[in-house]
Amino acid sequence: MDTRSENLLSIVIPAHNESAGIENALAVVNNVVASCRTQWEIIVVDDGSQDGTFDTLRQLAQTDTRLKGIRLSRNFGKESALLAGLKAAKGDAVITIDADLQHPPQLIPVMVDEWTKGAKVVDAVKRSRENDGLFIRTRARIFNRVLSKLGGINVQNSSDFKLLDRKVVSTIVNELPERQRFYRGLSDWVGYPHVSIPFDVEGRVDGDGKWTLWRLIELATTATVSFTSAPLRIVTVLGFVTLIFGFFVATDALVGWFQGRAVTGFATIIITLLILGSFIMISLGIVGEYIAKIYEEIKRRPPYLVEEKIRIDED
Ligand code: UDP
Ligand code: MG
């Protein structure tokens, strides 16, 4: 007798140049999910891979009817790939997981359990990143720290490995019209009952990490700019600090002038000038980031374009 309930679980996997490991990853995920008492579908979003990831998918989908695929027209970035997957997912719950098995699929049944018990969002939270290099770990730590401090949203150690209830998925997909997204931040922002499950980040099984330092800086900027205007306030604070400082320096200069002290201090002037100059440049840069984001949003371009679909219904 089949004891499966009528619930449908969607697994969304963003993949960029993952042909080396995707078959194995799918096998592992399929295996694990089979132990959950639900129906399931797996949606792999090929984020503009150049290495035949989608060919592999097409082949696998011939025998695996639960496998669905979306190919984006180029590399739009993981955030867009996740969004494409969430949009296509039909499940009562959706799990997002990396294609490189760095997010242990063994957690899936635990997440589903928590969901059945009522959690609307189940976050897998990184306990350690011992398998990542020191540089990557430090980078990740700085990234999360800055964002938590500035953005007031908790992404400390959080990952994109999550389970979202249908309600949360619809909120994120339908009710948040923004183009530039930061998945981790959004799923915290929406609220609803959250449950965290700690996990250890595994080493990558095949291929290399796809994040260049530049991409990560971009993500950090999007994350910060889309969640907080604190940097703008820092600019204002900087302005006041220099004003107060300037007031003292000006008083000193005036007093000196009345006392007939000779004008000296070329070094002071040049240093002040340089420091003020860089404050102004940085401030302009910060303001510029926000303007750039406003510009991006206002263009209303779609966050991704789909080139091909496997078993995805048109809507
Ligand atoms: N990924 C993607 N588009 C990109 C970069 C990465 O869809 O432009 C996918 C990638 O295939 C993987 C996941 O996002 O499934 C995480 O990527 P990666 O392992 O490179 O990053 P990390 O593990 O360092 O977060
Ligand atoms: Mg990875």
Side-chain angles (χ1 to χ4, degrees):
M1 192 188 80
D2 194 5
T3 50
R4 288 177 193 290
S5 65
E6 287 309 303
N7 281 337
L8 178 69
L9 176 67
S10 303
I11 312 274
V12 168
I13 310 181
H16 176 60
N17 291 343
E18 300 281 3
S19 68
I22 192 75
E23 184 167 0
N24 176 37
L26 285 172
V28 175
V29 171
N30 260 320
N31 243 328
V32 174
V33 182
S35 71
C36 299
R37 295 185 48 228
T38 59
Q39 309 292 327
W40 76 95
E41 60 173 5
I42 297 187
I43 303 173
V44 180
V45 184
D46 174 5
D47 185 16
S49 299
Q50 306 278 330
D51 68 345
T53 301
F54 205 71
D55 298 327
T56 316
L57 284 178
R58 224 180 273 127
Q59 208 148 40
L60 293 173
Q62 283 175 359
T63 48
D64 182 351
T65 50
R66 295 190 180 97
L67 184 60
K68 305 181 173 186
I70 302 175
R71 176 165 167 80
L72 305 186
S73 63
R74 63 169 168 86
N75 180 228
F76 280 93
K78 186 180 179 185
E79 292 291 327
S80 300
L82 282 172
L83 180 63
L86 288 182
K87 265 199 187 146
K90 293 266 187 287
D92 303 295
V94 181
I95 290 181
T96 51
I97 183 169
D98 279 2
D100 55 8
L101 294 179
Q102 279 191 298
H103 296 158
Q106 293 72 22
L107 278 192
I108 292 176
V110 187
M111 294 173 124
V112 173
D113 252 10
E114 293 292 348
W115 173 63
T116 349
K117 283 190 239 154
K120 296 285 177 242
V121 179
V122 185
D123 303 292
V125 179
K126 291 170 200 144
R127 185 165 30 206
S128 71
R129 295 181 65 118
E130 265 140 42
N131 293 314
D132 279 335
L134 181 68
F135 175 62
I136 295 199
R137 257 184 296 161
T138 318
R139 210 167 69 170
R141 183 155 336 128
I142 294 175
F143 174 74
N144 287 330
R145 196 62 62 76
V146 167
L147 204 66
S148 301
K149 278 261 148 42
L150 290 181
I153 43 165
N154 183 17
V155 292
Q156 201 88 6
N157 293 325
S158 83
S159 68
D160 291 333
F161 186 18
K162 292 179 188 305
L163 178 147
L164 306 183
D165 182 76
R166 165 61 29 203
K167 206 177 201 171
V168 181
V169 176
S170 336
T171 310
I172 290 184
V173 168
N174 302 324
E175 282 167 53
L176 306 179
E178 62 207 85
R179 317 267 123 175
Q180 310 238 338
R181 281 153 184 275
F182 180 55
Y183 179 58
R184 258 174 271 176
L186 287 181
S187 50
D188 187 61
W189 180 87
V190 291
Y192 298 112
H194 277 241
V195 170
S196 305
I197 302 174
F199 76 101
D200 296 311
V201 178
E202 305 289 331
R204 229 175 192 283
V205 178
D206 292 291
D208 298 317
K210 305 293 186 300
W211 290 101
T212 57
L213 183 59
W214 186 243
R215 262 285 162 91
L216 208 68
I217 292 176
E218 258 179 21
L219 179 68
T221 318
T222 306
T224 316
V225 172
S226 53
F227 273 95
T228 169
S229 39
L232 290 175
R233 236 163 278 144
I234 295 175
V235 173
T236 319
V237 172
L238 264 185
F240 276 109
V241 170
T242 40
L243 178 68
I244 293 167
F245 181 71
F247 179 76
F248 284 114
V249 176
T251 316
D252 179 56
L254 272 181
V255 170
W257 189 68
F258 278 119
Q259 290 174 343
R261 257 192 270 141
V263 181
T264 54
F266 177 73
T268 322
I269 290 177
I270 208 78
I271 291 171
T272 316
L273 213 66
L274 286 175
I275 292 180
L276 277 183
S278 36
F279 276 7
I280 293 172
M281 301 278 229
I282 293 171
S283 306
L284 275 179
I286 294 176
V287 176
E289 277 309 325
Y290 282 89
I291 295 181
K293 287 293 177 243
I294 295 173
Y295 179 54
E296 288 298 325
E297 291 289 333
I298 219 144
K299 280 193 284 193
R300 316 239 92 209
R301 287 199 188 147
Y304 58 84
L305 294 174
V306 173
E307 183 182 322
E308 206 182 322
K309 296 174 179 176
I310 305 172
R311 261 190 219 112
I312 304 273
D313 311 336
E314 303 292 335
D315 38 273

